[in-house]
Amino acid sequence: MNTETEQGGPATVRTGRLDLVPLAVAHAGEMAGVLADPALHTFIGGAPLTAPELRARYERLVAGSPDPAVVWCNWVVRVRAGGRLAGTVQATVTDDGRTAEVAWVIGTEWQGRGIAREAAGALVALLADRGVRTVVAHVHPDHAASAAVARAAGLAPTDEEQDGEVRWELRL
């Protein structure tokens, strides 16, 4: 994995097959299609957003957290072969940069190809390189695929639950 800075902004993370590209409002149109399958929301909740709704959400995310103690880091996942977007990864960094809560969503069309595993692993590695000491994810107990992604990224389940999801953790 390597990273590149785009015009002084957040880094693009490159893996074997993927580019994790810093989220931009312009990604909303394509991402609305990637995230359009209602089945994708079985474990993450909610419903698919329209392109305008997703654009408004991305505007808020790109603007950054209103809390100066919280940093929002969001990337779209682009499959380099073909250049299409496949999903997102994100980290909410707190505790003076020592703790990050991570999440990933890969569109139904792209699932089962190891994309979430590769993207989440790259995200955790980037966070570790930037000094994060604790990585946390919350995974629905019935979501075996997401649990496998968390495990592959080095996280382990804890006995804690929040909103019906198991807390997974990696201490670096």
Side-chain angles (χ1 to χ4, degrees), residues 32-126:
V34 171
L35 303 175
D37 184 354
L40 182 62
H41 299 266
T42 300
F43 294 111
I44 63 174
L49 298 177
T50 64
E53 292 168 331
L54 202 54
R55 188 172 298 105
R57 176 174 168 71
Y58 287 1
E59 286 172 355
R60 288 189 303 275
L61 291 173
V62 168
S65 171
D67 181 346
V70 175
V71 178
W72 293 341
C73 306
N74 296 274
W75 292 265
V76 291
V77 177
R78 180 174 48 215
V79 178
R80 207 171 301 116
R84 291 181 53 209
L85 299 182
T88 63
V89 293
Q90 64 187 45
T92 300
V93 183
T94 58
D95 193 25
D96 290 325
R98 291 186 301 266
T99 302
E101 182 160 345
V102 299
W104 48 85
V105 178
I106 300 299
T108 307
E109 173 185 350
W110 298 98
Q111 292 177 5
R113 301 180 194 187
I115 292 170
R117 181 181 306 237
E118 189 172 331
L123 175 59
V124 169
L126 176 67

Side-chain angles (χ1 to χ4, degrees), residues 110-156:
W110 298 98
Q111 292 177 5
R113 301 180 194 187
I115 292 170
R117 181 181 306 237
E118 189 172 331
L123 175 59
V124 169
L126 176 67
L127 293 168
D129 287 348
R130 293 191 174 172
V132 169
R133 305 298 0 130
T134 304
V135 179
V136 174
H138 288 90
V139 177
H140 190 283
D142 296 330
H143 199 330
S146 197
V149 169
R151 187 172 270 95
L155 285 78

